[in-house]
């Protein structure tokens, strides 16, 4: 059974269409890349699937739960929102313990989860430090750890490497790969960085002005779009599909 | 249960984060200055002891409620601006649980103000055995007003698009409610009486002064508590009914 399925999903704000007639499927363990230029509808799509926004029309299922059961979906997903804020006065361990308790864990269970996840993302040595002292990369890893406190079946990561230096990007990408590999979770990765998609994702959804321009495996998308333009590069396929000018 | 977790964490952020202790310290400085003046200043020490206690209760109630309102007015709009609300909305905690937890946390500030007030009441009320009565009165009436206005602060916070707007609107609201209580005595019949009764702060302060200064029984002017009680019930009802629609990433009541 698909762990993620959207059927003709749309979101409109008055006359403005943010997401239009979006349909796709992702299986368990997939890393689905969500690509598109600014304003393509990537964040709106994630917010629809994570129940933060209500669709104008269409339906979706996440981790076996229908879209009309938002609390059920939220119990089974983990999300790193775009430009997520953090409570600067809390320590990393406190932040994760609180998050785990919001998912129904008792104090002891929440403490165990926090310790394990901090170790998983390489932040054990800074567990007792205030988040205000963390670098951006450390915050992103903390955010990914937070997305995993409920052992989710589907993880949504909205531009997790935005603003990170190459070393920080590598750390985050390694963590994402491990999530799919060791936890068997489906990962939806929204990004602008094509190399991340090529390195990590086994399927791809290219959005432009809220509509799906291409979907399938990375190879399929390159082959289909590349055939028209005579290229075997994802960047060329992406630019061709989104009508962007080549530099 | 989740509301309890939210309330615990919000209270910890308020008290361990330093904002709560700072506000209560400022509150205690204000009460100290006022008590000192009431006890020693020539212009003010004409006050009979019961009047001095009443003055302390009125300041405590008004300022305590003001601080509660400020904390609740920051609760949702502040999280929006700091970018931490989305993570909270992504948990299975219901919107009602989030609002309930935040309201309880804001009310801890009111309770702290009450605790700080008790020694001042004891000092000013010595000899007339009124301190206990005043403390109980402050607890009951003040909590009623704090729930109503704290809830209103949360509503404003959820509905306004920026934290500054939320805080400014809440302060303006309190000013509008508090200003009439400082006007020269309103007529005791007709419009003046109606204005006192309809204003939850004005009617609460009137009720307190009737019990403490005029030595009325607690039930004599009980109808003056109707407006604060009504405000608390209505605001809590509105929060319960609307929180699933108004506690969201963007301000307003439209469906997201």
């Amino acid at each position: 059974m698909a762990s993620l399925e959207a059927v003709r999903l749309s979101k409109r704000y008055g006359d403005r269409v943010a997401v239009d007639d979006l349909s796709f499927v992702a299986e368990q363990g997939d890393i689905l890349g969500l690509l598109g230029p600014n304003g393509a509808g990537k964040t709106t799509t994630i917010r629809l699937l994570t129940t933060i926004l209500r669709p104008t029309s269409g339906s979706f299922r996440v981790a076996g739960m229908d879209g009309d059961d938002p609390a059920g979906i939220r119990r089974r997903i983990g999300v790193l929102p775009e430009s997520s804020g953090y409570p600067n006065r809390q320590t990393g361990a406190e932040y994760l313990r609180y998050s785990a308790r919001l998912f129904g864990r008792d104090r002891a269970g929440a403490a165990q989860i926090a310790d394990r996840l901090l170790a998983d993302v390489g932040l054990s040595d800074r567990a007792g430090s205030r988040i205000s002292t963390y670098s951006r990369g450390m915050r992103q890893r903390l955010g990914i750890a937070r997305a995993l406190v409920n052992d989710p079946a589907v993880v949504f990561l909205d531009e997790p490497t935005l603003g990170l230096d190459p070393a920080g990007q590598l750390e985050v990408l390694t963590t994402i790969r491990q999530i799919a590999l060791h936890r068997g979770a489906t990962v939806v990765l929204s990004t602008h960085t094509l190399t991340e998609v090529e390195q990590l994702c086994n399927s791809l959804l290219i959005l432009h002005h809220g509509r799906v321009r291409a979907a399938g495996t990375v190879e399929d998308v390159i082959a289909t779009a590349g055939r028209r333009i005579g290229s075997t590069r994802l960047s060329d396929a992406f630019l061709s599909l989104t009508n962007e000018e080549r530099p | 249960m989740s509301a309890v977790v939210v309330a615990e964490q919000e209270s910890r952020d308020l008290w361990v984060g330093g904002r709560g202790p700072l506000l209560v310290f400022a509150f205690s400085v204000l009460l100290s200055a006022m008590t000192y003046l009431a006890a020693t200043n020539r212009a003010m020490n004409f006050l009979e002891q019961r009047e001095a206690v009443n003055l302390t209760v009125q300041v405590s109630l008004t300022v305590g409620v003001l601080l509660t309102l400020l904390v609740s007015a920051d609760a949702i709009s502040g999280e929006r601006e700091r970018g931490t609300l989305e993570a909270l909305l992504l948990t299975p905690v219901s919107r009602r649980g989030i609002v309930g937890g935040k309201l309880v946390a804001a009310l801890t500030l009111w309770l702290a103000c009450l605790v700080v007030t008790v020694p001042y009441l004891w000092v000013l009320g010595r000899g007339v055995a009124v301190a206990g009565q005043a403390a109980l009165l402050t607890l009951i009436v003040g909590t009623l007003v704090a729930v109503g206005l704290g809830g209103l602060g949360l509503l404003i916070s959820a509905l306004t698009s920026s934290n500054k707007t939320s805080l400014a609107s809440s302060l303006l609201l309190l000013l509008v409610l508090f200003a009439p209580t400082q006007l020269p005595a309103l007529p005791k019949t007709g419009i003046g009486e109606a204005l006192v009764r309809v204003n939850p702060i004005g009617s609460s302060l009137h009720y307190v002064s009737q019990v403490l200064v005029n030595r009325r029984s607690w039930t004599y002017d009980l109808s003056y508590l109707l407006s604060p009680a009504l405000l608390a019930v209505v605001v809590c009802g509105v929060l319960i009914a609307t929180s699933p629609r108004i506690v969201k990433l963007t301000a307003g009541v439209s469906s997201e």
Side-chain angles (χ1 to χ4, degrees), chain A:
Chain A
M1 195 172 76
S3 67
L4 192 57
E5 183 178 8
V7 181
R8 307 199 67 178
L9 204 57
S10 296
K11 179 66 183 174
R12 292 185 181 83
Y13 297 96
D15 292 338
R16 193 170 69 81
V17 180
V19 171
D20 191 15
D21 222 18
L22 177 72
S23 297
F24 70 93
V25 171
E27 304 294 336
Q28 187 182 348
D30 276 358
I31 303 182
L32 171 69
L34 211 53
L35 267 180
N38 289 331
K42 302 187 297 293
T43 296
T44 304
T45 299
I46 287 181
R47 286 182 173 164
L48 286 170
L49 296 172
T50 56
T51 75
I52 288 289
L53 298 177
R54 286 189 198 151
T56 309
S57 61
S59 62
F60 63 97
R61 283 176 70 83
V62 180
M65 307 299 296
D66 278 332
D68 53 12
D69 180 9
I73 288 177
R74 289 199 293 266
R75 275 190 203 94
R76 290 166 172 77
I77 61 170
V79 188
L80 174 69
E82 183 191 25
S83 307
S84 180
Y86 296 88
N88 286 330
R89 288 197 176 97
Q90 286 178 24
T91 67
E94 284 169 352
Y95 180 64
L96 291 185
R97 283 200 295 267
Y98 174 47
S99 302
R101 293 206 67 209
L102 290 173
F103 280 92
R105 302 285 183 162
D106 59 20
R107 283 179 200 280
Q112 272 182 357
I113 288 171
D115 291 345
R116 177 168 53 77
L117 288 173
L118 284 165
D120 287 352
V121 297
L123 288 174
S124 288
D125 55 332
R126 297 296 303 275
S129 304
R130 284 189 171 195
I131 298 174
S132 57
T133 65
Y134 284 17
S135 67
R136 187 171 169 83
M138 290 164 74
R139 285 176 186 226
Q140 288 297 76
R141 281 186 281 146
L142 182 68
I144 292 174
R146 186 197 187 281
L148 301 175
V149 290
N150 55 330
D151 205 11
V154 183
V155 180
F156 295 87
L157 305 170
D158 198 351
E159 306 202 16
T161 56
L162 190 70
L164 298 184
D165 60 22
Q169 286 180 17
L170 187 64
E171 285 171 352
V172 168
L173 295 180
T174 306
T175 307
I176 294 169
R177 193 177 284 115
Q178 284 170 349
I179 293 169
L181 203 63
H182 299 307
R183 293 172 179 266
T186 304
V187 178
V188 177
L189 173 69
S190 164
T191 182
H192 283 292
T193 315
L194 302 179
T195 50
E196 283 176 13
V197 173
E198 287 177 310
Q199 285 171 23
L200 281 176
C201 300
N202 44 24
S203 59
L204 178 61
L205 202 63
I206 296 181
L207 297 177
H208 190 47
H209 295 315
R211 297 189 70 97
V212 176
R213 301 302 301 263
T217 64
V218 177
E219 295 76 21
D220 285 347
V221 170
I222 293 173
T224 309
R227 208 172 295 136
R228 281 193 287 120
I229 55 172
S231 170
T232 56
R233 290 165 53 191
L234 179 59
S235 56
D236 291 332
F238 175 77
L239 291 172
S240 144
L241 289 163
T242 56
N243 304 319
E244 301 278 330
E245 291 295 321
R246 292 189 200 196

Side-chain angles (χ1 to χ4, degrees), chain B residues 7-104:
Chain B
E8 272 179 27
Q9 186 61 45
E10 293 282 332
S11 303
R12 193 173 298 130
D13 287 347
L14 178 64
W15 293 104
V16 179
R19 200 161 43 126
L22 190 69
L23 291 172
V24 170
F25 175 72
F27 174 77
S28 65
V29 168
L30 176 72
L31 270 192
S32 298
M34 204 210 65
T35 306
Y36 178 76
L37 287 173
T40 62
N41 187 280
R42 282 190 176 187
M44 292 183 76
N45 70 0
F46 65 89
L47 290 177
E48 194 249 333
Q49 265 183 297
R50 282 181 165 269
E51 286 178 342
V53 169
N54 178 49
L55 182 64
T56 307
V57 169
Q58 304 225 347
V59 170
S60 164
L61 197 148
T62 309
V63 179
V65 166
L66 164 73
L67 300 181
T68 307
L69 185 66
L70 287 180
V71 169
S72 62
D74 169 74
I76 295 170
S77 52
E79 284 224 46
R80 268 198 207 110
E81 287 197 355
R82 293 187 285 274
T84 51
L85 185 63
E86 188 167 3
L88 189 57
L89 297 180
L90 285 164
T91 65
V93 182
S94 69
R95 305 311 195 235
R96 291 187 182 103
I98 292 171
V99 165
K102 286 179 177 292
L103 182 58
V104 168

